[in-house]
């Protein structure tokens, strides 16, 4: 798919502080100022590198916790379930909930 031609120019005014902030945020994102403004207009969180990194971390954490939960479930189904397994399961679920909450907070502060 070919890139859409950008042939409309929109001149607008900024204060010096706004211009400096735009320049800094665009540089931090590794984008030109115009690309950064278009990114903000698109409102696509998956386009933000920080969010992609946070989501990868969350997926890895969920996978690890899921493996542990599967092992506990297998033990339960084999009648090998112990009280410690229940405590571990509760701890894993708390960790999962905490991790999801942290990621959600970071994502909302980045937008």
């Amino acid at each position: 798919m070919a890139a859409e031609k950008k042939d409309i120019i929109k001149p607008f005014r900024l204060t010096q502080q706004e211009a400096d902030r735009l320049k800094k945020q665009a540089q931090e994102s590794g984008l030109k100022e115009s690309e950064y403004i278009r990114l903000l207009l698109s409102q696509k969180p998956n386009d933000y590198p920080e969010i992609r990194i946070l989501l990868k971390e969350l997926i890895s954490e969920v996978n690890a916790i899921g493996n542990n939960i599967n092992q506990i479930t297998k033990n339960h189904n084999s009648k090998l379930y112990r009280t410690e397994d229940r405590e571990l399961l509760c701890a894993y679920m708390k960790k999962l909930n905490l991790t999801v909450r942290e990621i959600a907070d970071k994502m909302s502060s980045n937008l």
Side-chain angles (χ1 to χ4, degrees):
M1 184 173 151
E4 190 174 336
K5 184 177 177 186
K6 295 168 182 73
D7 56 357
I8 298 175
I9 298 172
K10 292 281 189 178
F12 56 94
R13 296 174 191 249
L14 299 172
T15 65
Q16 186 61 51
Q17 292 84 10
E18 291 169 335
D20 292 342
R21 186 173 170 205
L22 173 62
K23 182 177 182 178
K24 180 182 175 198
Q25 290 179 349
Q27 286 175 342
E28 287 174 356
S29 298
L31 301 170
K32 296 178 184 175
E33 291 179 14
S34 58
E35 292 171 332
Y36 184 73
I37 290 171
R38 284 192 292 274
L39 174 68
L40 293 176
L41 287 172
S42 70
Q43 295 286 324
K44 295 179 184 174
N46 288 333
D47 290 342
Y48 292 88
E50 311 88 37
I51 292 177
R52 276 188 259 162
I53 291 168
L54 292 174
L55 290 175
K56 280 184 181 180
E57 291 173 5
L58 178 60
I59 289 168
S60 296
E61 189 74 27
V62 168
N63 286 338
I65 292 171
N67 288 335
N68 293 332
I69 291 171
N70 285 339
Q71 290 173 359
I72 292 170
T73 303
K74 180 182 175 190
N75 288 342
H76 175 71
N77 291 336
S78 301
K79 307 294 187 216
L80 300 173
Y81 190 73
R82 301 170 296 162
T83 305
E84 294 84 25
D85 290 334
R86 182 177 183 275
E87 293 168 0
L88 276 173
L89 184 59
C90 290
Y92 290 137
M93 292 307 296
K94 286 179 184 176
K95 184 176 181 182
L96 179 61
N97 287 332
L98 179 64
T99 304
V100 169
R101 192 173 304 121
E102 288 174 3
I103 298 293
D105 290 343
K106 288 179 183 177
M107 287 176 64
S108 64
S109 69
N110 284 337
L111 295 180

